[in-house]
Amino acid sequence: MLNADDRFALQELVNRYAYYIDLWQIDAWAGLFTPDGVLDESPAGMGTYAGREAIAVYGAELKADVLHVVHLMMNHVILNWDESRATGGVFALVEANTRSGGHVRHYIRYEDSYVRTSDGWQFEKRTILPMFPPQIIS
């Protein structure tokens, strides 16, 4: 059984992902992944980024295009686990204002693989799955 400390650490990992990217703390955000971790946005029509460096470069690209963003994370579940690995998922509502004046709303689900490292729990892989088509607000 997953103990309370591990469960809390995994919830904290998921929440820090949203917090760091929303505040444009790109290095901290990329540091939530293992050195060879993968952020896969291909199901949403975007790219796949392998390794912290590629994830950080992508984060900087987002920052250049997006003025404001907020991730509202909800319904986090941990589905499978053992001593060193776990899988889970979380739903998110993401609101973003672009630097060109647009406003986009995304309803997504993250599908996660977590691994315990010497630095604690980290993302081994995070896949973004759209729940609805993005809404262009303005």
Side-chain angles (χ1 to χ4, degrees), residues 115-122:
V115 63
R116 186 193 308 269
T117 71
S118 59
D119 294 322
W121 288 99
Q122 294 182 307

Side-chain angles (χ1 to χ4, degrees), residues 21 25-31 33 39 49-63:
I21 194 63
Q25 296 177 7
I26 304 302
D27 290 337
W29 178 68
F33 289 83
L39 176 60
Y49 311 94
R52 282 187 191 149
E53 184 175 323
I55 292 167
V57 167
Y58 173 59
E61 291 170 0
L62 286 174
K63 183 178 179 181

Side-chain angles (χ1 to χ4, degrees), residues 16-26 63 69-71:
R16 284 179 183 273
Y17 176 96
Y19 185 85
Y20 290 151
I21 194 63
D22 289 351
L23 295 178
W24 301 121
Q25 296 177 7
I26 304 302
K63 183 178 179 181
V69 64
V70 65
H71 289 71

Side-chain angles (χ1 to χ4, degrees), residues 90-108:
V90 62
F91 291 91
L93 168 60
V94 183
E95 298 269 346
N97 288 342
T98 65
R99 294 191 184 274
S100 62
H103 182 147
V104 182
R105 178 177 295 143
H106 299 272
Y107 293 94
I108 60 175

